[in-house]
Amino acid sequence: MGRKKSYDRDETAERALHVFWEKGFEQTSLKDLEAATGVNRYGLYDSFTDKQGLFRECLTGYCASVMAMIEGFTSTGFSGLLGVIERFAEADFEEVHLHHGCLAITSMLEKECLSEDLQQLLGGYMDGILGAIRATLESEKKAGVLRKDLDIEDCMGLMHLIMVGLPTLSRTSPDADAMRRGGKSALNAMRTWLA
Amino acid sequence: MGRKKSYDRDETAERALHVFWEKGFEQTSLKDLEAATGVNRYGLYDSFTDKQGLFRECLTGYCASVMAMIEGFTSTGFSGLLGVIERFAEADFEEVHLHHGCLAITSMLEKECLSEDLQQLLGGYMDGILGAIRATLESEKKAGVLRKDLDIEDCMGLMHLIMVGLPTLSRTSPDADAMRRGGKSALNAMRTWLA
DNA sequence: TCGATATCTAAACGCTCGGTTGGCTATTGC
DNA sequence: GCAATAGCCAACCGAGCGTTTAGATATCGA
């Protein structure tokens, strides 16, 4: 009973995601979200509680899709850490959206504006990825794919650096190719480092 | 004639710098600046025109001091790119302030909030540093200090990545040592890459 | 067809922001 | 000591923010 919604909930979140992605949480206003989604603030508040609720849905979806992407790579024959990273990098670079960097990293840079649960979500996301990288490094080192004398801690430092550096490169550089070049260089450096 | 100022201009800018450094331009309010400097908004506007004027003075001072630091290293016997970078890294890591990352990088991430001249200042600062690194790479390659087959473009990609990645590491990581570890790893990677 | 109900639009709310102003206070030259 | 000057402080301004609400509108069951 009653009037029907004139918008699709998921599609609205998807459109909002791209605004948050481009401008960040704080810099995105309700006006921006109304314009991008075509939904009046009332509808946004009705469906997502408040601005942070909408952002939470966008961010969790984003993190989940990135995770799914990585798992997709590992389960379709791209064995080896470098293989996964390489394919991930290729996927990244082809996606126009990623010219705005990584939503998770961007959000961590404005964590003071976010509620506690969102900060924990971001922390968990990062820890999850870093933990997966570390586990892969250790198992591949044990299996002899990587150098026997590889210092895992040291290597993780570079992995972490690259992980946060590449999105930052894409956001700070006017040149859209800066991230692609950085990624290529990083892969080269890792190859000489790891093997 | 008239009443004397109750504050020192340079000291005020220095204190304001640390607030901008920690919170970024946009997130720093006049209230914050009043509290940190002990100077009423009237005084700040009288001495620096407006919020952006104060920020301009802080940012130019910051960039100049970093440049002076680098030049200090090169002119006191630390020849070689890696030597300079290493010493710069050590200086960075000892400075408590750099737990908040690099003001220039932080500012480039919110360039939409800054006036045209500040964006150009930031661009020039980055280009200056990157240009100096490139020139050093080329001359050291020619002099035989570095590998003869070193791909300069490729190498610059990594340099740029590290340059923006390290400050981001320090700002996104709750662990204060993340940047130190990232810097150490980056130096190791560069050593194997360059030599 | 009509009343009940869910949704839409647009206006308004309270708040904080950067920026300004006017009355008070300290310092100066005479 | 007194008028002139410059600086200080607090209150105020308009704008924009996220959020709420009131009234109009569309859709449903009966």
Side-chain angles (χ1 to χ4, degrees):
Chain A
M1 214 195 220
R3 191 169 170 176
K4 279 181 178 169
K5 277 183 166 47
S6 65
Y7 56 91
D8 178 72
R9 206 190 122 96
D10 291 343
E11 192 179 335
T12 300
E14 177 72 21
R15 289 179 185 170
L17 165 62
H18 286 83
V19 189
F20 284 130
W21 201 339
E22 180 186 340
K23 312 184 64 166
F25 173 75
E26 177 80 13
Q27 288 301 314
T28 299
S29 70
L30 264 296
K31 222 175 177 181
D32 296 327
L33 294 169
E34 285 181 319
T37 60
V39 178
N40 185 276
R41 321 143 99 73
Y42 174 88
L44 298 177
Y45 275 74
D46 185 46
S47 291
F48 306 98
T49 310
D50 57 10
K51 187 187 174 189
Q52 207 143 178
L54 174 54
F55 182 68
R56 179 179 298 110
E57 198 138 320
C58 294
L59 185 59
T60 53
Y62 173 87
C63 291
S65 78
V66 173
M67 284 297 201
M69 200 190 215
I70 296 177
E71 284 174 17
F73 294 164
T74 59
S75 64
T76 53
F78 270 76
S79 61
L81 182 63
L82 281 177
V84 172
I85 293 176
E86 193 160 15
R87 182 147 166 201
F88 185 81
E90 285 166 1
D92 257 6
F93 295 176
E94 284 167 11
E95 263 293 336
V96 190
H97 302 136
L98 290 191
H99 284 271
H100 299 125
C102 166
L103 179 63
I105 304 294
T106 300
S107 302
M108 294 189 77
L109 288 171
E110 51 179 350
K111 55 177 180 294
E112 278 74 19
C113 304
L114 303 177
S115 63
E116 192 65 35
D117 67 308
L118 284 178
Q119 294 185 33
Q120 287 182 358
L121 172 71
L122 287 168
Y125 172 75
M126 288 294 287
D127 288 348
I129 292 185
L130 288 173
I133 294 177
R134 180 190 300 271
T136 309
L137 278 176
E138 282 167 351
S139 80
E140 293 194 347
K141 179 184 175 184
K142 198 168 291 180
V145 182
L146 307 176
R147 290 186 2 233
K148 273 279 179 254
D149 62 339
L150 186 70
D151 183 334
I152 300 282
E153 290 307 313
D154 206 11
C155 194
M156 284 302 297
L158 185 62
M159 291 289 182
H160 196 174
L161 168 61
I162 293 169
M163 198 172 142
V164 304
L166 282 178
T168 308
L169 207 50
S170 77
R171 286 184 60 206
T172 56
S173 180
D175 175 6
D177 271 355
M179 178 162 124
R180 180 180 283 112
R181 278 184 279 115
K184 189 164 145 283
S185 305
L187 268 174
N188 287 340
M190 281 194 287
R191 283 205 194 88
T192 64
W193 177 291
L194 297 173
Chain B
M1 214 194 221
R3 190 169 168 176
K4 280 180 181 170
K5 276 182 167 49
S6 65
Y7 57 91
D8 178 73
R9 205 191 123 96
D10 291 344
E11 191 178 334
T12 300
E14 178 72 21
R15 289 179 184 171
L17 165 62
H18 286 83
V19 188
F20 284 130
W21 201 338
E22 181 186 339
K23 312 184 65 168
F25 173 74
E26 177 80 12
Q27 287 300 314
T28 299
S29 70
L30 286 196
K31 223 176 180 179
D32 295 327
L33 293 169
E34 285 179 320
T37 60
V39 178
N40 185 275
R41 327 144 90 76
Y42 173 88
L44 298 178
Y45 275 76
D46 185 46
S47 291
F48 304 99
T49 309
D50 58 9
K51 188 188 174 189
Q52 263 203 84
L54 174 53
F55 182 68
R56 179 179 298 110
E57 198 139 319
C58 295
L59 185 59
T60 53
Y62 173 87
C63 291
S65 78
V66 173
M67 284 297 199
M69 201 189 213
I70 296 177
E71 283 174 17
F73 294 164
T74 59
S75 64
T76 54
F78 271 75
S79 60
L81 182 63
L82 280 177
V84 171
I85 293 177
E86 192 160 16
R87 181 147 169 200
F88 185 80
E90 285 166 1
D92 257 7
F93 294 172
E94 284 168 9
E95 262 293 338
V96 190
H97 302 137
L98 291 192
H99 284 271
H100 298 124
C102 166
L103 179 62
I105 304 294
T106 300
S107 302
M108 294 189 78
L109 287 171
E110 52 178 351
K111 56 177 179 292
E112 277 75 19
C113 304
L114 302 177
S115 62
E116 192 64 36
D117 65 309
L118 284 178
Q119 294 186 33
Q120 288 182 356
L121 173 71
L122 287 168
Y125 171 76
M126 289 294 288
D127 289 347
I129 291 185
L130 288 173
I133 293 177
R134 181 189 299 271
T136 308
L137 278 175
E138 282 168 351
S139 80
E140 292 194 347
K141 180 183 174 185
K142 197 167 291 180
V145 182
L146 307 176
R147 292 186 359 234
K148 274 280 179 248
D149 61 338
L150 185 70
D151 184 334
I152 300 281
E153 289 308 311
D154 205 12
C155 192
M156 284 301 298
L158 185 62
M159 291 288 181
H160 196 175
L161 168 61
I162 293 169
M163 198 170 142
V164 305
L166 282 178
T168 308
L169 208 50
S170 77
R171 285 185 62 205
T172 55
S173 181
D175 175 6
D177 271 354
M179 176 160 127
R180 180 180 282 111
R181 278 184 279 116
K184 191 165 144 282
S185 305
L187 268 175
N188 287 341
M190 281 195 287
R191 281 204 195 89
T192 64
W193 178 292
L194 297 173

